[in-house]
Amino acid sequence: MEIRQLKTFWTLASTCSFSQTAELLSYVPSTITMQIKSLEEELGVKLLDRLGKKVVLTDAGQQFLPYATKILNDVEEAKCISSQHGELAGTVVIGADEVLCAYLLPALFKRFRAEYPGVRLLFRPLSGQELKSSLREGHADVVFVLDEPINSKDLQSEFLKDETFQMVVSPDHMLASRSELVIDDFHKQHFLLTEKNCSYRTYFDQSITKKGVDALTELEFHSVEAIKQCVVAGLGIALLPEMALKKELREGEVVALPWDLSDVSFSAQMLWHREKWISPSMAAFMEVAKSELI
């Protein structure tokens, strides 16, 4: 069993793509296939299934991944201890939901790449529930969430910034010109919502139910961009983070409704596992993140 095989397996498990893994590791795809096959033969189990262009870990692959992650972390730690000089290198695996990836993190990634060109950033877009699991399972080093304040025994959090939410409609929506709204105004309206495991979707469901709306006509989306385009097209009402709406609000493509959202308390936060060894490259990324985003 070779370190390069473990690195290939770990990267493939992170990207779920042979072509992306080959690009990240500067291999041709056939080399990736050969290394995985050799590793499977040595272990005597099948680690992954290739379903079209997508890679899915088998049960054995899922069980083997934490061991591969630990070995690679130990190797990287040993390299850092034995190296006295030279450019900072390594890989940092980052996870975030769609909103933070699109509207908060690009400037951070650009600055970090300029300051630490030798460190590879591997980004994994994940849903709300998957983000915390990715830390606990060792699939990510650092994740960014938009959530209520997080108190966890095994996860460490760093507050970055509070986020304001807006309830928006298109300019020609029947509620757009209203200076005041009551809960009855929302009856028979169409709501365009994020998926149910999204933190602020959960808040919205609980809040609107408490205020007397017992049934909603809703369309559910996995993409905030899709929700915005449907709002612009006049298909309904959406509750979204203001960071995702700045352009549309400024250009008059959507209108914020006069609905009190002062009790919505969500913030952008950076999370990592308390027991994870923080490599120099991970520490550098976290420091740049705090400097850039706080």
Side-chain angles (χ1 to χ4, degrees):
M1 188 181 303
E2 301 178 7
I3 295 299
R4 62 174 183 166
Q5 294 172 331
L6 296 178
K7 189 173 182 180
T8 296
F9 168 71
W10 180 87
T11 306
L12 191 55
S14 298
T15 64
C16 299
S17 166
F18 273 83
S19 60
Q20 190 176 350
T21 297
E23 183 179 352
L24 287 170
L25 299 180
S26 299
Y27 290 143
V28 295
S30 60
T31 300
I32 304 297
T33 301
M34 180 181 66
Q35 289 187 12
I36 294 299
K37 183 179 179 181
S38 177
L39 183 60
E40 288 178 329
E41 289 175 351
E42 184 169 352
L43 294 172
V45 294
K46 189 171 179 60
L47 296 172
L48 55 88
D49 289 317
R50 191 169 183 174
L51 308 177
K53 295 183 178 181
K54 187 176 181 180
V55 173
V56 179
L57 293 183
T58 63
D59 288 341
Q62 292 283 3
Q63 293 175 33
F64 182 66
L65 182 58
Y67 294 98
T69 301
K70 184 179 185 305
I71 292 171
L72 292 173
N73 283 339
D74 289 344
V75 169
E76 186 174 351
E77 183 175 2
K79 287 180 178 179
C80 291
I81 292 172
S82 62
S83 176
Q84 300 299 317
H85 55 81
E87 183 183 80
L88 191 63
T91 300
V92 182
V93 184
I94 304 145
D97 65 17
E98 179 202 8
V99 171
L100 296 182
C101 175
Y103 303 104
L104 185 69
L105 299 182
L108 166 60
F109 293 160
K110 181 178 179 180
R111 175 178 165 184
F112 184 80
R113 187 172 63 179
E115 294 186 16
Y116 298 98
V119 178
R120 177 186 293 117
L121 295 181
L122 183 59
F123 180 75
R124 304 186 70 196
L126 298 167
S127 67
Q129 295 299 319
E130 294 173 324
L131 286 167
K132 296 173 187 176
S133 297
S134 69
L135 294 177
R136 294 185 171 107
E137 296 169 5
H139 298 164
D141 298 317
V142 180
V143 302
F144 295 88
V145 300
L146 185 59
D147 207 335
E148 297 176 285
I150 292 174
N151 295 307
S152 171
K153 293 182 179 180
D154 58 347
L155 301 181
Q156 185 75 36
S157 65
E158 178 79 33
F159 168 84
L160 299 174
K161 59 181 295 187
D162 286 319
E163 179 58 24
T164 302
F165 280 71
Q166 297 282 2
M167 190 174 286
V168 294
V169 293
S170 66
D172 58 356
H173 190 277
M174 63 181 295
L175 299 179
S177 60
R178 300 282 294 275
S179 59
E180 186 177 351
L181 293 173
V182 296
I183 195 67
D184 288 343
D185 293 322
F186 293 130
H187 285 292
K188 298 185 179 180
Q189 295 294 332
H190 291 81
F191 285 86
L192 313 176
L193 303 173
T194 52
E195 55 192 335
K196 288 186 180 295
N197 64 357
C198 173
S199 56
Y200 46 90
R201 163 66 188 277
T202 301
Y203 162 81
F204 174 80
D205 287 345
Q206 294 172 348
S207 175
I208 208 76
T209 300
K210 285 180 182 179
K211 292 178 179 179
V213 176
D214 55 5
L216 294 177
T217 303
E218 63 184 59
L219 292 174
E220 186 173 309
F221 297 81
H222 294 289
S223 166
V224 168
E225 284 300 313
I227 291 175
K228 285 200 300 183
Q229 292 305 314
C230 288
V231 171
V232 171
L235 297 182
I237 304 169
L239 175 72
L240 292 172
E242 194 170 274
M243 71 170 74
L245 294 166
K246 288 183 178 179
K247 173 180 176 294
E248 288 77 13
L249 287 168
R250 183 177 63 249
E251 297 180 359
E253 294 181 287
V254 300
V255 174
L257 293 178
W259 186 251
D260 181 19
L261 295 170
S262 59
D263 59 339
V264 180
S265 178
F266 287 87
S267 58
Q269 300 162 73
M270 178 170 63
L271 308 181
W272 63 96
H273 201 287
R274 292 181 186 274
E275 297 179 359
K276 182 175 180 59
W277 173 68
I278 299 179
S279 68
S281 54
M282 180 177 166
F285 177 80
M286 292 166 66
E287 284 303 312
V288 173
K290 286 186 280 187
S291 174
E292 178 71 24
L293 302 178
I294 293 179

